[in-house]
Amino acid sequence: DVIATKTVTVIDIEKTEQNIDNTLRQRQIKKAVDKLPSKLKEVIILYDIEELQQDAIAKKLNCPVGTVKSRLFKARKLLCEELKDYID
């Protein structure tokens, strides 16, 4: 059926475009994270990627939880600035 084939093709194209957009977005995020100072980068990775709790990060890095919170805040602020053109 021609209509079904065209519908599937349109859906496939939309999914491909979404996948490309997601890949480009992920690359931009990775570039932005890579630009962070090492102390901010490690906290963002541990919290947002490895999904560790703030107290676990503090123990792992041998620093107060307040320091972890401060670094997360600073890292997110820098990431927002770096990614402002990509934020919807």
Side-chain angles (χ1 to χ4, degrees):
D1 177 315
V2 175
I3 294 173
T5 302
K6 286 185 179 182
T7 302
V8 170
T9 302
V10 169
I11 291 171
D12 289 342
I13 290 171
E14 289 174 359
K15 286 182 181 179
T16 300
E17 288 174 350
Q18 288 174 347
N19 288 339
I20 290 170
D21 287 344
N22 287 339
T23 300
L24 292 173
R25 189 174 294 119
Q26 287 172 351
R27 285 184 187 161
Q28 292 302 324
I29 291 169
K30 184 179 182 327
K31 280 184 186 179
V33 169
D34 286 343
K35 288 182 180 180
L36 291 173
S38 61
K39 290 185 178 194
L40 302 183
K41 181 179 175 178
E42 68 186 351
V43 171
I44 278 288
I45 290 171
L46 292 171
Y47 189 77
D48 288 325
I49 296 173
E50 294 186 20
E51 299 181 348
L52 293 179
Q53 297 295 317
Q54 292 177 359
D55 59 336
I57 296 170
K59 287 179 186 175
K60 185 172 184 129
L61 300 179
N62 196 27
C63 67
V65 174
T67 300
V68 171
K69 289 179 181 183
S70 174
R71 289 178 185 173
L72 279 171
F73 178 81
K74 290 176 186 174
R76 287 182 178 148
K77 184 176 178 183
L78 290 172
L79 288 172
C80 283
E81 290 171 11
E82 186 68 29
L83 296 169
K84 67 183 173 202
D85 294 336
Y86 302 98
I87 296 173
D88 295 328

